[in-house]
Amino acid sequence: MKKAMVLIAAMTCLSLPAAGLAAPRGLPVGQCINMGNSLEPPTETGWGGHAIADADFANIAGAGFKTIRLPVRWDSHAAKNAPYTIEPAFLARVKHVVGAAQAAGLNVILDSHNFESMHSDPIGSAPRFAGIWKQIGVAFAGQPTATLWFELENEPHDKFTNANLLEALSPALAAVRATNPDRPVIIGGEYWSGIDSLATLTLPDDPNVYPTFHYYEPFQFTHQGAEWVDPSPPLGRAYGIGDDAERLVRDVQKIRDYTARTGLLPFMGETGAHTTVPLDQRVQYHAAVTKAFAPLGVGMCMWAYTNTFPFYDSDKKAWLPGLRGAVGLPDATTAPASAAASPAPVAAGERQPTAELQALDDSLPGTLINDPSALDWSTFGTIMKSKIVKSADIPGGGAAMQFTLQSLGVAAYDAGANVPIRTALRGKGDYVAAFWARTVKSDAPDGKGRIGVRFQQNVAPYAGFGDTVLTVGSEWRLYEIAATADRDVPRGQAVLGLQLAGARQTVEIGQVIVVEGAKSIRQAAAPAVPAADPELPPQLVGKGDLLNDPANRDWLLYGKKQVAKATTTNVYGRVGTLLTVSAAGTNAYDAGAAVPLRDGIAVGDRLRIAILARTVSASTPDGQGKLTIRVQQNGAPYDGFADNILVVGPNWRLYQIGTTASLALAAGKGQLALHTAGAAQAIEIGPVYVLREGTPSAGMGE
């Protein structure tokens, strides 16, 4: 089962397999069920499950299942030192369970589950892992390969990724092959073996190795209220809303694409929904997943027989109504009728579903048509990771979605997120969306993020309007787009699309507000802010004319070993940027920031440069940071002057230098470069001031 949120999907066009191609190679799993929460807790039934009885397998086979998957926590029952001996009594228990299942006519997938050290230190744990699998191979070497299959490790995650998967698993596979040369072996990919792991899964060159994936999408539905998930998705999420149908189409296409690329047919090792989901909804979910994937021949293994995501009520000794029929098995029972009515459309003048949303609606022009308090957006794109981040510094609610693009997409829409809209979009209607955003890092030439935004339909052909590409700086800012609809989009298919693959970047997007019947909501949506500080600190008042905007934090940030983070300070200016450099560069300018100068500079101009800064940490002999500064052109060849090295201490201080310009810079063509790669360090920089003095000031050295 999943223990962390995975919300990744890809937007692809549906294609049909070419005629005449050979059938893909896959295991004949058929309909399968997991014996969950039995042998994979630290001790048997330690998580409140039921002890496996021999009679369970006759019950499972009688229901029409062909295979059971047996998760086993070998890690808790083997010695820590070589030869890593498995407890004899535990090994005997596993062998008995496998034999009982086979006696009932069932295939068995024997799975290593929760081998925790393999996920935190896969390479370091590989010898012990292989030593344990060597013993498993010996114990089951005489079993028929047609009915017993090994799955090396469940749901790789954390530091166990597709980048090191083969290296970490190869010793265990070799240990198995020494005694089981032809036995089918199953391997799943990174990120909890979600469906998107198939895109980067590389298998060993072994004709008897087969791929698997797990399917719990949408996670907000299947794991609502799950106590082991932090944060737990809220209760009440129904299935079949938003882009649920579109997600299934996209995910089925991922299997088609994988099969076409590899000639292999992966099986679904886990799928299901938590008992916190009403039974009628669980039946609907299983039916939809089965209908979508079964035509491809994908075997599906339900989680689980009993406990947590159960098909069978062990206390009542009865199969839960409707679930067997939902997965294509004979079933004389009927699922309970849904007690939940479909939500009514939201129209102008109707009340919002909560008092908080109604209060927000009342404060906005037009009509609020989304839920700004929700971050359960549908994400897509195999090149992207996403997670929720929380901080009191995030405006508009203290939470945001962070998106990290691992590579540049062929098109901006290759990865992104869809924010659900609760109403239809009406042709000729006015719509406006506003959201808080910032760029954490970007490989774009200007160091800024790129967010494509459009109102659109979330099913093919994804028609939309209002296409806008926003350039997003490093500081939190409220961005807004407005558009007049040129088409109707039905209710349930309308979303605000955020396209993020236009740069290799990490961006954060906070509260999103979508309104119908307005041209702008910027003023209403912006929270109250403290009164602005004076433009200049007292020590600079009257010293000259500003050539930059100290409030503009849209700096160009660069350097592969540097991470930038916006901060809030309690000193003059109140805003800062923490620049953390993990290792010193060959040159100080290998990382840093560039502060734009709006006005031109003439040769002979006397300049005063002032920087509010402090060092948080530094790997230097005296523990003080090194900040190299330079006034220069903002494009190649980056000619400049006023090269200085500031030694920055641990306390906030306004560092000042004076210089005379030896190079002319036209308006908009200059910048103050702040180079940080002179040491491994973390320097926090507040407001920066560049002034042109009327006359040189005595006492200021070059």
Side-chain angles (χ1 to χ4, degrees):
M1 290 181 61
K2 288 187 179 180
K3 301 298 188 291
M5 188 175 297
V6 179
L7 289 172
I8 301 176
M11 182 179 293
T12 56
C13 296
L14 187 62
S15 61
L16 298 176
L21 293 179
R25 180 167 59 88
L27 285 171
V29 174
Q31 293 293 49
C32 166
I33 200 159
N34 280 273
M35 308 304 289
N37 287 11
S38 297
L39 291 175
E40 87 275 16
T43 57
E44 187 169 351
T45 72
W47 291 340
H50 291 262
I52 297 173
D54 292 358
D56 287 326
F57 299 116
N59 188 37
I60 291 169
F65 289 98
K66 302 300 182 186
T67 304
I68 63 117
R69 182 170 178 257
L70 183 62
V72 178
R73 187 185 286 240
W74 302 100
D75 185 24
S76 297
H77 299 277
K80 301 298 182 183
N81 299 316
Y84 315 111
T85 303
I86 300 172
E87 296 169 3
F90 185 74
L91 181 58
R93 170 63 175 153
V94 175
K95 291 178 70 175
H96 175 86
V97 171
V98 170
Q102 291 173 315
L106 294 166
N107 304 319
V108 177
I109 299 170
L110 185 57
D111 161 57
S112 171
H113 222 82
N114 300 100
F115 203 111
E116 301 296 353
S117 65
M118 279 297 290
H119 304 274
S120 60
D121 182 15
I123 304 303
S125 300
R128 180 169 180 259
F129 187 69
I132 291 172
W133 267 110
K134 177 181 179 180
Q135 298 169 72
I136 300 169
V138 170
F140 292 96
Q143 296 288 335
T145 59
T147 60
L148 177 63
W149 310 319
F150 292 165
E151 183 173 354
L152 291 183
E153 178 57 20
N154 177 68
E155 293 184 342
H157 59 276
D158 193 14
K159 296 180 176 63
F160 199 5
T161 70
N162 287 347
N164 56 36
L165 196 72
L166 289 185
E167 182 182 358
L169 293 182
S170 289
L173 181 60
V176 168
R177 287 288 176 250
T179 52
N180 296 259
D182 302 320
R183 188 172 305 284
V185 171
I186 297 161
I187 294 177
E190 61 191 355
Y191 307 135
W192 311 88
S193 297
I195 192 168
D196 288 310
S197 69
L198 293 173
T200 51
L201 175 62
T202 301
L203 295 179
D205 185 14
D206 184 320
N208 292 303
V209 171
Y210 296 85
T212 186
F213 70 100
H214 293 179
Y215 196 76
Y216 290 106
E217 307 300 341
F219 192 83
Q220 295 282 352
F221 169 77
T222 62
H223 282 64
Q224 56 188 280
E227 66 276 5
W228 63 88
V229 179
D230 184 20
S232 177
L235 296 172
R237 205 288 197 181
Y239 184 70
I241 65 172
D243 74 338
D244 286 354
E246 177 199 317
R247 179 193 292 269
L248 266 180
V249 172
R250 294 196 309 260
D251 288 347
V252 166
Q253 185 61 34
K254 293 172 192 175
I255 302 300
R256 294 183 187 275
D257 293 342
Y258 180 82
T259 297
R261 187 175 70 251
T262 65
L264 299 173
L265 180 64
F267 81 94
M268 189 183 297
E270 292 182 18
T271 186
H274 197 334
T275 49
T276 51
V277 178
L279 180 57
D280 67 285
Q281 284 278 296
R282 291 163 57 200
V283 169
Q284 179 183 340
Y285 177 74
H286 277 289
V289 172
T290 301
K291 182 178 179 181
F293 286 95
L296 277 66
V298 173
M300 286 175 278
C301 208
M302 315 307 159
W303 190 283
Y305 175 53
T306 185
N307 192 272
T308 314
F309 289 52
F311 266 58
Y312 185 75
D313 188 327
S314 293
D315 296 324
K316 295 181 179 180
K317 307 297 181 185
W319 292 95
L320 292 174
L323 281 173
R324 287 172 297 164
V327 299
L329 297 176
D331 192 353
T333 63
T334 303
S338 174
S342 299
V346 178
E350 290 188 2
R351 304 294 292 176
Q352 293 289 338
T354 68
E356 292 79 9
L357 289 180
Q358 186 60 51
L360 176 59
D361 195 355
D362 292 342
S363 70
L364 293 168
T367 302
L368 181 67
I369 59 173
N370 78 309
D371 182 356
S373 66
L375 291 176
D376 56 345
W377 308 338
S378 171
T379 60
F380 55 89
T382 57
I383 61 174
M384 182 180 77
K385 296 180 181 179
S386 63
K387 65 179 181 179
I388 295 176
V389 292
K390 297 181 180 181
S391 171
D393 298 336
I394 300 174
M401 286 293 293
Q402 183 182 93
F403 303 98
T404 298
L405 277 297
Q406 298 164 297
S407 62
L408 182 66
V410 176
Y413 54 73
D414 285 345
N418 289 332
V419 179
I421 294 174
R422 294 186 291 119
T423 68
L425 301 178
R426 299 175 296 115
K428 299 183 180 180
D430 289 326
Y431 295 92
V432 60
F435 56 84
W436 292 94
R438 71 165 181 168
T439 297
V440 178
K441 62 180 179 180
S442 171
D443 279 359
D446 60 0
K448 298 178 183 178
R450 301 291 189 270
I451 301 177
V453 188
R454 71 195 306 253
F455 298 92
Q456 71 175 49
Q457 192 169 5
N458 65 359
V459 296
Y462 308 103
F465 58 91
D467 295 73
T468 304
V469 177
L470 301 173
T471 301
V472 178
S474 61
E475 302 298 323
W476 283 109
R477 176 182 159 194
L478 187 69
Y479 295 84
E480 179 180 279
I481 73 160
T484 300
D486 61 1
R487 68 193 71 232
D488 293 333
V489 179
R491 177 178 175 271
Q493 297 181 8
V495 297
L496 182 72
L498 306 173
Q499 301 173 350
L500 302 171
R504 190 170 183 268
Q505 59 186 352
T506 297
V507 295
E508 293 178 350
I509 302 176
Q511 185 181 70
V512 176
I513 296 174
V514 185
V515 164
E516 179 183 22
K519 297 288 189 182
S520 175
I521 59 176
R522 186 183 300 273
Q523 184 173 0
V529 297
D533 285 314
E535 189 174 38
L536 291 171
Q539 50 273 60
L540 297 180
V541 173
K543 301 298 184 182
D545 298 324
L546 269 172
L547 304 183
N548 72 306
D549 178 5
N552 177 15
R553 308 294 295 189
D554 243 353
W555 300 348
L556 170 65
L557 303 169
Y558 56 90
K560 293 183 178 180
K561 296 181 179 180
Q562 175 179 272
V563 175
K565 178 183 179 182
T567 59
T568 302
T569 73
N570 59 1
V571 296
Y572 180 84
R574 285 198 284 274
V575 296
T577 303
L578 181 63
L579 301 176
T580 302
V581 181
S582 59
T586 304
N587 306 290
Y589 54 74
D590 288 345
V595 180
L597 302 180
R598 64 190 177 197
D599 294 349
I601 296 173
V603 174
D605 280 351
R606 183 68 177 176
L607 305 181
R608 180 188 294 254
I609 300 168
I611 301 169
L612 186 68
R614 68 165 180 162
T615 294
V616 177
S617 63
S619 297
T620 56
D622 58 3
Q624 300 195 87
K626 292 183 178 181
L627 184 64
T628 302
I629 68 170
R630 188 172 197 255
V631 179
Q632 64 182 35
Q633 296 169 335
N634 58 13
Y638 301 102
D639 290 337
F641 58 92
D643 296 82
N644 277 262
I645 299 177
L646 302 180
V647 178
V648 180
N651 299 316
W652 284 109
R653 175 183 164 191
L654 189 67
Y655 294 85
Q656 298 187 53
I657 68 134
T659 188
T660 299
S662 59
L663 175 72
L665 297 171
K669 300 297 183 181
Q671 62 186 16
L672 176 67
L674 309 175
H675 300 147
T676 58
Q681 58 188 345
I683 295 181
E684 190 172 8
I685 301 174
V688 173
Y689 310 92
V690 181
L691 297 91
R692 181 192 293 112
E693 297 183 321
T695 57
S697 297
M700 290 187 63
E702 293 291 339

